[in-house]
Amino acid sequence: MNSKQWMEAADHVLMHTYGRYPIVLKRGEGVYLYDLEGKKYLDFGAGIAVFALGYNNPEYNEALKAQVDELLHTSNYFYNVPATKACEKITQMTGLDRVFLTNSGTEAVEGAIKLARKVYYNKHGKADGEIIAMNHSFHGRSMGALSVTGTPKYREPFGTLEGIVFADYNNYEDVAAKVTGKTCAIIMETVQGEGGLHPASHEFLQKVRALCDQKGILLILDEIQCGMGRTGTMMAYEQYAIKPDVVTLAKALGCGVPVGAFAAKEEFALALVPGDHGSTYGGNPFAAEAICKVFELFGKQQVLENVRNVSVYLEKKLDVLAEKYACIKERRGRGLMQGLEFDRPVKGIIGKAMEAGLITFSAGENIIRFVPPLVIGKEHVDEMIGILEPVIAEER
Ligand SMILES: *Cc1c(COP(=O)(O)O)cnc(C)c1O
């Protein structure tokens, strides 16, 4: 069957939860993807900020194959070596003390919310803790994660959790005004992804940290998208000289194997006791081995150095576009997490660029998001601009 036939088949059996692009992807190599007919695409989406190491990385693939042959799954009623190693790596990276491994970002957020509520419950004997979340945030689609996601139309039909209050991102006065005696946590992304590539300002994040310390509120940073080196440091919050009480991770943590994690400071982590939380798959040896290998390859391939280098070049090139074309309002973001905001919906531009062999995603209606594999080179930036610019030039 060809791509067209597979797309028709898919439209019969898949739930219609995504507006999919008309491409059936088959394989990947480095920073390129290929569809069923062998057409090549330069990938500036990385499966939504997932595939940091590039596709078909031989060492990564070999490690996973070996783990499949050794032991794919046990249960969390036993210990396994890869999970322990993975959690050691995560504590070193985050500066936090204990880790719970999950299968996705959403589940990491879910766990972080439960942890914050349990800490509050232990203190107050009641489960009525409130959480302050940010407008335009994105934390996932399960009932808990959705409840703290700042897009009303995502939440409205589903009757989300009570006790969630939304404040404006980068507006300290608004956040502070929403604190009550019941506030148990403040949750935010260090750099908002879906919400439009907005980094937290230094002043905002540092003031929120101080507020949390003063009031005994847990600061949960969601680094599912902006973490794992994407902004030039392993954790984006390293650039703010602060540390959260809880952090959530996923996406590039497994580089394609579905994994996530939430990590917390000792005093809070201990609030969760046997029976409070669990997962059948979470931290299974296969998924944990993927995490271990990702950390190893980040070091070997000097991923952070590359991000710092190439992101300066990418910013410069995007700034040139933003200056040259009136339909572009602004370039913003941090590291290899960049966005171009247009004065119009970008769906058409993204579609045309895809036809021309470039994959990007949108963030909201008017923003093209650039979240390439972290191993891209300057030559790939040039290639991307070479495809995108003619499409933008037609817009005028
Ligand atoms: C993608 C994302 C999530 C959800 O992760 P899933 O793995 O899709 O469940 C949560 N928070 C942020 C910031 C994300 O970018």
Side-chain angles (χ1 to χ4, degrees), residues 31-326:
V31 299
Y32 296 99
L33 288 164
Y34 297 84
D35 70 13
L36 272 187
E37 280 74 29
K39 183 172 170 182
K40 185 179 180 183
Y41 300 88
L42 175 63
D43 183 20
F44 266 64
I48 316 193
V50 168
F51 228 105
L53 295 170
Y55 299 97
N56 208 9
N57 185 299
E59 267 191 75
Y60 175 81
N61 288 4
E62 282 314 311
L64 292 185
K65 285 174 194 166
Q67 191 61 47
V68 167
D69 290 338
E70 191 162 270
L71 183 63
L72 199 57
H73 180 72
T74 90
S75 127
N76 282 308
Y77 288 107
F78 301 102
Y79 293 91
N80 77 71
V81 174
T84 307
K85 283 188 183 165
C87 291
E88 282 174 354
K89 292 285 183 204
I90 292 170
T91 54
Q92 283 162 17
M93 170 176 72
T94 57
L96 300 172
D97 302 308
R98 290 183 189 272
V99 183
F100 185 99
L101 295 172
T102 68
N103 311 293
S104 68
T106 298
E107 286 169 75
V109 171
E110 207 65 35
I113 292 172
K114 280 182 73 178
L115 174 63
R117 290 207 150 178
K118 185 74 195 298
V119 169
Y120 177 93
Y121 180 83
N122 285 348
K123 233 191 305 185
H124 296 85
K126 265 184 166 174
D128 62 346
E130 297 174 353
I131 296 172
I132 299 175
M134 301 298 134
N135 288 319
H136 304 295
S137 64
F138 183 84
H139 297 292
R141 303 294 200 152
S142 63
M143 289 308 299
L146 181 62
S147 297
V148 292
T149 287
T151 307
K153 80 163 187 210
Y154 290 169
R155 293 194 309 269
E156 250 162 41
F158 300 105
T160 43
L161 289 180
E162 284 177 17
I164 313 293
V165 187
F166 288 91
D168 284 342
Y169 193 65
N170 279 335
N171 182 339
Y172 174 75
E173 280 66 36
D174 193 31
V175 172
K178 285 177 175 152
V179 171
T180 72
K182 290 182 181 173
T183 306
C184 67
I186 297 176
I187 183 167
M188 68 172 88
E189 295 147 271
T190 316
V191 181
Q192 283 193 335
E194 307 279 332
L197 290 304
H198 292 281
S201 76
H202 279 76
E203 195 197 356
F204 176 65
L205 196 45
Q206 283 170 355
K207 277 185 162 174
V208 169
R209 173 70 274 181
L211 178 72
C212 288
D213 287 339
Q214 191 195 334
K215 305 264 183 184
I217 296 167
L218 266 66
L219 176 60
I220 303 171
L221 289 183
D222 181 343
E223 294 233 359
I224 289 168
Q225 188 163 158
C226 65
M228 292 305 291
R230 185 153 292 279
T231 66
T233 48
M234 284 306 285
M235 295 283 86
Y237 60 73
E238 289 170 44
Q239 295 166 44
Y240 294 81
I242 60 113
K243 207 162 78 176
D245 300 305
V246 183
V247 71
T248 57
L249 306 167
K251 295 206 161 100
L253 180 64
C255 278
V257 172
V259 296
F262 63 102
K265 287 181 184 162
E266 180 81 355
E267 55 180 310
F268 305 121
L270 293 177
L272 292 179
V273 297
D276 275 344
H277 199 54
S279 169
T280 298
Y281 275 136
N284 94 359
F286 178 70
E289 179 62 17
I291 298 175
C292 294
K293 210 62 200 178
V294 166
F295 277 107
E296 189 187 318
L297 291 173
F298 260 62
K300 249 191 195 167
Q301 302 194 4
Q302 303 190 304
V303 167
L304 277 186
E305 289 78 352
N306 190 61
V307 172
R308 287 177 193 155
N309 257 321
V310 177
S311 63
V312 175
Y313 191 70
L314 174 63
E315 280 184 7
K316 207 170 69 186
K317 291 287 176 176
L318 293 177
D319 281 339
V320 170
L321 287 188
E323 230 163 82
K324 195 160 159 191
Y325 297 99

Side-chain angles (χ1 to χ4, degrees), residues 43-46 49 51-52 230 314 336-337 370-376:
D43 183 20
F44 266 64
F51 228 105
R230 185 153 292 279
L314 174 63
L336 289 181
M337 186 174 173
F370 303 86
V371 284
L374 302 183
V375 294
I376 58 159

